[in-house]
Amino acid sequence: MTRRLSRWACVLAVGALAVTGCRDKPVDHMQRARDAIFEKRPDEALVEYRKAYDMLLRDESPEALVMRARALKGAADVYWLEQRKVKEAVSVYRQLIQQCPESPESLDARIILAELLRVHYRDLRGSIDQLTAALHRNPPQSAELQYQVAKTYFELQDYPQCELEAKKLPERFATSPYVDDALFLQAQALAMVEGKRQEALRTYADLRTRFPDSELAPYALFEMGKLRADAGDNEKAIETWVECLKTHPDPSLVQDAITRARRRLANLTVEGIGQKEVAFDRSKQARTSVEAMGGSAEEAARDRGD
């Protein structure tokens, strides 16, 4: 009799578990998926997200759509962040954007998808499309996304469009910490366009005036020297680089540029044209940047602190 009761107790227990399993809701599977991620079981998490998604697929209620977006986003994030399966992640992020275009999750999906397309597929225009679609929703990080659009156009070597996109950032997001980055990028793009060297110089100068403490300010000054050297104005380039020596984080790079410009100047002199060996004689070269600018040896000594 005792054995029979025990057997019935087991049957009832199994039956109760079966009934409980049948009553599982999408939210239960979502919680199990999150628990599995926390416990470093990504494959199990994907199974639970799939179960939740399948249960929600034919439910068009607002609550179901919210949960469906979360299930898709969770699965895509597992593929990307936990398993580094780019192809699968891209597929599910696209599915999320298509099925739940207005959800907060789809906004995040577009931003992540833009990066995956750019880095792993070199689909730069596809990346720009996703960033632009995200910008249309006016997210909090709009200034950063606008900068990414401009930078991606630079990667495409579409410098006129890069300049236009970079220019939008200071106009629309004047207080953003990305404004100095946008000005620097805008100047870089202008420098790559024929006939816009002076405009590039003005933009670099604008950056330095508006953001004198920006870490980009000394780089802007260095680039101004390069533009002047490229235009053949080596004396002005040297003057710019001498000023740049005070703040540039890599003074040896600046000093090398000064040395090259000084050699170009020497080769342009009458003596340098006929006496190449003299032009490259280190004993005849200025020893410091002060001397390079025409200063006397005494002035150079004071500059060195001698």
Side-chain angles (χ1 to χ4, degrees):
M1 184 69 176
T2 304
R3 289 182 184 174
R4 191 175 300 171
L5 287 173
S6 178
R7 188 179 304 164
W8 276 110
C10 292
V11 170
L12 289 172
V14 171
L17 288 173
V19 171
T20 303
C22 291
R23 291 176 182 173
D24 280 347
K25 298 177 181 179
V27 67
D28 299 319
H29 293 294
M30 296 285 285
Q31 184 58 54
R32 288 175 192 151
R34 288 189 288 268
D35 292 343
I37 293 170
F38 180 77
E39 294 167 5
K40 304 298 182 184
R41 291 181 281 113
D43 291 335
E44 185 176 328
L46 288 171
V47 170
E48 295 297 335
Y49 279 129
R50 171 56 66 180
K51 288 179 179 178
Y53 173 79
D54 288 343
M55 295 176 73
L56 295 161
L57 192 55
R58 293 178 178 80
D59 188 345
E60 295 299 325
S61 66
E63 296 80 6
L65 290 175
V66 168
M67 196 168 295
R68 190 193 306 175
R70 291 175 181 172
L72 288 170
K73 176 65 162 47
D77 286 348
V78 169
Y79 278 128
W80 169 230
L81 299 175
E82 304 296 330
Q83 298 184 332
R84 295 297 175 181
K85 293 182 178 180
V86 176
K87 181 180 177 181
E88 290 82 354
V90 166
S91 176
V92 180
Y93 283 130
R94 289 191 186 279
Q95 187 179 359
L96 166 58
I97 292 166
Q98 182 180 10
Q99 293 190 17
C100 312
E102 301 304 319
S103 66
E105 290 79 12
S106 74
L107 174 60
D108 292 339
R110 287 190 184 278
I111 296 170
I112 297 170
L113 183 57
E115 184 70 5
L116 293 178
L117 292 176
R118 185 182 69 84
V119 174
H120 294 277
Y121 290 93
R122 298 306 298 164
D123 181 3
L124 301 183
R125 295 206 178 272
S127 178
I128 289 171
D129 289 344
Q130 294 299 331
L131 292 172
T132 302
L135 278 166
H136 286 161
R137 297 179 60 176
N138 297 314
Q141 66 271 48
S142 288
E144 180 182 358
L145 299 182
Q146 182 63 49
Y147 177 72
Q148 293 297 331
V149 169
K151 191 168 71 169
T152 306
Y153 273 115
F154 193 92
E155 286 188 64
L156 275 170
Q157 300 182 12
D158 188 344
Y159 303 118
Q161 190 62 39
C162 172
E163 187 262 328
L164 289 174
E165 297 295 337
K167 193 174 181 180
K168 291 178 185 178
L169 199 153
E171 294 172 351
R172 298 179 181 178
F173 313 102
T175 60
S176 167
Y178 282 90
V179 171
D180 56 339
D181 297 271
L183 287 171
F184 192 87
L185 182 61
Q186 181 184 349
Q188 285 182 305
L190 286 165
M192 300 298 289
V193 179
E194 187 69 28
K196 293 206 171 186
R197 181 180 288 117
Q198 290 303 315
E199 196 173 342
L201 279 169
R202 286 194 296 270
T203 305
Y204 281 128
D206 184 33
L207 188 161
R208 296 186 66 243
T209 300
R210 293 172 60 181
F211 303 98
D213 297 326
S214 168
E215 64 179 14
L216 293 174
Y219 293 98
L221 189 59
F222 182 75
E223 293 299 321
M224 291 171 71
K226 286 172 62 177
L227 287 171
R228 286 163 176 159
D230 291 343
D233 191 351
N234 289 292
E235 291 183 355
K236 189 66 176 177
I238 292 172
E239 181 182 341
T240 303
W241 285 326
V242 168
E243 182 183 355
C244 186
L245 277 171
K246 303 172 187 176
T247 56
H248 199 281
D250 187 358
S252 63
L253 175 69
V254 183
Q255 190 64 62
D256 288 344
I258 292 171
T259 300
R260 289 193 297 272
R262 188 167 61 222
R263 287 173 178 170
R264 286 193 295 271
L265 278 174
N267 285 333
L268 290 174
T269 63
V270 174
E271 296 82 5
I273 293 172
Q275 302 174 29
K276 185 174 180 181
E277 68 280 5
V278 175
F280 285 88
D281 185 353
R282 293 186 181 275
S283 66
K284 302 296 184 182
Q285 292 178 5
R287 292 174 56 205
T288 70
S289 298
V290 173
E291 292 174 282
M293 292 302 300
S296 65
E298 290 76 22
E299 292 172 328
R302 286 197 299 272
D303 183 65
R304 293 194 304 270
D306 294 346

